[in-house]
Structure formats: C-alpha cells, structure tokens
Amino acid sequence: MRLFLLAASLFIATPALAQTQAAAPVELFKYGVRTGTNGNPLVVTLGGSGSGGSGGASAISPVSPTFSGGANLSISTAASYTPFPAQTCKQLTIANNTGVTVQVQQGGSGAAQPVFPGTYYVFYGLTDASALAVERADGTATAVTVNARCEY
C-alpha cells in the first residue's frame, strides 16, 4: 500500500509541476527596467554576393534608421479619402485617437489598412506623406481629425 501511495503521489505531482511552470508569466520588466532584451534593438543585415546569401562571404553590419528631422501632420476626414499634405518623409506614424476606425490607402488605389481606435500604425518606405489618404471606415459623414508624425 505504501508503494502505491508513493507512486500515486509522484504520478500526480509531475503534471502539477509542469502546469505551474507553463503558466508562469514572462517577466518583461523588473524593478522598472526592461529585462530579456537590450534597451536599444539592433537590426542586422547580411551582405554578400549572389542571391540568398550563396556564393561569397557574408558580413554582419548594423543598420539603424537615419532621420534628419520630423513634423507633425493633421487632417480632417470623413466618408471619403483625404490625403495628407505634401511633406517629404521616409515613414509616417498614424496615431488613431479619434474613437472610430479609420482606414489608410496608399497611392490612391488598392486595399486599405485599418487603424483601430486607440492604436497606431507606422507606414515605412515613403517618399512623401501625400501618398497616404485616410477616411472613416464606417462611412459616416461626420469629420474626424487624424494626427500623424512623419520622419524625414
């Protein structure tokens, strides 16, 4: 009987231990400092000749964004697409604090990217902010003001 109780306790304890380990939350911040990653992320690209890194030696070189400045932009939009004003930029961050979903179209046609209320979306690889146009996703004619930050 003792052998049975010992075996039963080991049999029950093992899944319980595994479950508590799996349910343990990941601690991203400890004492107000971010843990687990470096404070500044580093983007690395592999260079070399050939496609897919084949043929030739590959070197690791850090890449960081280079911006010379930025500007805050704001537009009022309703049920039709309204482009941002002409402003040279490499990326544009739209912060949607309007309370409604807005959608952003690039280049005047094609699928639109929704930006939900209380969120933001960063558009990379731009040359000018006017390439992006915004409208209310619900089609309501009441105008909302969309704010953005462009980096050039």
Side-chain angles (χ1 to χ4, degrees), residues 1 11-12 31 35-36 40 62 68 75 83 89 93 120 122-123 133 146 150:
M1 184 68 176
F11 181 72
I12 293 171
Y31 304 112
T35 61
N40 296 320
S68 59
I75 59 168
C89 68
T93 304
Y120 65 92
V122 182
F123 293 87
V146 178
C150 77

Side-chain angles (χ1 to χ4, degrees), residues 125-145:
L126 301 173
T127 55
D128 198 283
S130 62
L132 299 177
V134 182
E135 76 170 356
R136 286 182 67 137
D138 60 7
T140 304
T142 305
V144 294
T145 301

Side-chain angles (χ1 to χ4, degrees), residues 25-37:
V26 176
E27 189 171 327
L28 295 178
F29 294 92
K30 186 171 186 174
Y31 304 112
V33 177
R34 186 179 177 126
T35 61
T37 61

Side-chain angles (χ1 to χ4, degrees), residues 23-87:
V26 176
E27 189 171 327
L28 295 178
F29 294 92
K30 186 171 186 174
Y31 304 112
V33 177
R34 186 179 177 126
T35 61
T37 61
N38 293 331
N40 296 320
L42 178 67
V43 179
V44 177
T45 61
L46 294 176
S49 61
S51 64
S54 62
S58 294
I60 296 177
S61 59
V63 177
S64 60
T66 54
F67 299 120
S68 59
N72 295 325
L73 302 176
S74 181
I75 59 168
S76 180
T77 186
S80 61
Y81 283 106
T82 305
F84 279 98
Q87 169 67 55

Side-chain angles (χ1 to χ4, degrees), residues 99-121:
V100 298
T101 301
V102 296
Q103 52 192 18
V104 183
Q105 193 176 55
Q106 187 170 355
S109 64
Q113 171 65 42
V115 183
F116 301 106
T119 64
Y120 65 92
Y121 193 87

